[in-house]
Amino acid sequence: MFILAYQAFDGVARGDARIQGALAGGMIAALATALGTVPVLLSQQFSQRSYDIMLGFGAGVMLAASSFSLVIPGLAAAKAQGASAWGAGGIVGGGILLGALLLLAIDRAVPHEHFVKGVEGPQARTLRRVWLFVLAIVLHNLPEGLAIGVAFAGTDPVGAAALTTGISIQDVPEGMVVALALRGVGYGRLSSVALGIVSGLVEPLAAVFGALLITVSAGMLPWGLAMAAGAMLYVISHEVIPESHRQGHEASATGGLVLGFVVMMVLDTALG
């Protein structure tokens, strides 16, 4: 861990564009989480329908970004390293499964609280409710930060920027929901906003970590891209979509998802 921290500092100091890009992308996503807490700070709220549409739009953008900024570049990277078409498909497919399984293992092993299904995990009752909410958001932000870092460590900076945009859009309502949840269980306005902001700080750390892993071994690039995509798909299906449908605005949220996917697809393919 200390070695990786030193390499991260050294990479930033030496002007390594990949490390700097990962750090900048992670910071943008963290700022988006912080932006979502502003309505709570100002005692303002979006309508539930607007919140669900934004969440759906973010899910659509993330879904397209996973496909066009992670899976397709992962296939290209595997082929560039000498893999056949079948071999590249096997590497990326295996990486997607590993990424999803890793998130599933974390989801099962770590006590936390889903906004939809309530408390899960061993000994969850021993944790205070506020930390269950914060931990849930941190679990969501971890694969997002890793995906940003892996993308910036690749060869497609435009795609990495597009992926960062999609994650950041989704992080705005995520920051709002954790701050609102904390207010709902009795925490003060400033405390709720502060904890909401802190929950997003894992993203720049995870982004730099993801970029470092790829820069240490270029052979890990297709696996890293694929695992980030699998983790993202898990989060989208397991958390973001159910949350956007929870209040009965399924049609609006689905419309937002489709629109987000189309917008991200057009931007990614046109700019890439």
Side-chain angles (χ1 to χ4, degrees):
M1 185 62 68
F2 289 109
I3 294 175
L4 287 175
Y6 171 77
Q7 289 177 329
F9 178 80
D10 185 57
V12 173
R14 289 186 293 104
D16 189 319
R18 295 171 296 180
I19 303 299
Q20 290 181 337
L23 179 60
M27 288 301 299
I28 290 171
L31 287 173
T33 302
L35 180 62
T37 67
V38 170
V40 178
L41 184 63
L42 301 177
S43 298
Q44 297 176 352
Q45 295 186 22
F46 296 110
S47 70
Q48 186 63 47
R49 184 180 299 276
S50 298
Y51 163 71
D52 290 338
I53 291 173
M54 186 183 300
L55 208 57
F57 185 87
V61 172
M62 291 166 63
L63 187 59
S66 297
S67 302
F68 296 102
S69 298
L70 293 174
V71 172
I72 292 178
L75 291 168
K79 291 179 181 179
Q81 293 175 3
S84 65
W86 281 99
I91 289 172
V92 172
I96 291 172
L97 292 175
L98 284 175
L101 287 173
L102 177 61
L103 261 291
L104 176 62
I106 293 174
D107 188 62
R108 294 290 178 85
V110 180
H112 63 284
E113 180 167 341
H114 292 271
F115 293 113
V116 178
K117 295 185 296 183
V119 177
E120 286 189 352
Q123 299 179 343
R125 292 182 181 178
T126 64
L127 294 178
R128 296 179 64 179
R129 184 177 178 84
V130 60
W131 294 114
L132 295 179
F133 278 112
V134 173
L135 184 55
I137 295 299
V138 170
L139 286 177
H140 301 168
N141 288 342
L142 179 62
E144 296 168 2
L146 288 172
I148 290 172
V150 171
F152 274 101
T155 58
D156 184 12
V158 174
L163 178 64
T164 301
T165 300
I167 291 173
S168 298
I169 290 171
Q170 189 268 334
D171 280 343
V172 173
E174 200 169 77
M176 181 176 66
V177 75
V178 70
L180 288 174
L182 292 166
R183 285 288 285 158
V185 296
Y187 280 76
R189 186 186 307 164
L190 292 178
S191 298
S192 300
V193 168
L195 288 172
I197 292 173
V198 168
S199 72
L201 295 181
V202 68
E203 295 199 59
L205 298 176
V208 172
F209 181 77
L212 281 173
L213 288 180
I214 303 305
T215 55
V216 168
S217 175
M220 294 177 60
L221 180 58
W223 285 98
L225 290 168
M227 290 181 66
M232 293 282 288
L233 291 173
Y234 181 90
V235 170
I236 293 167
S237 176
H238 193 62
E239 297 290 351
V240 180
I241 292 177
E243 176 64 22
S244 69
H245 289 196
R246 184 168 61 94
Q247 298 293 335
H249 300 138
E250 294 92 342
S252 298
T254 300
L257 185 147
V258 174
L259 179 61
F261 186 93
V262 171
V263 169
M264 194 75 265
M265 179 196 68
V266 171
L267 291 175
D268 208 344
T269 54
L271 296 176

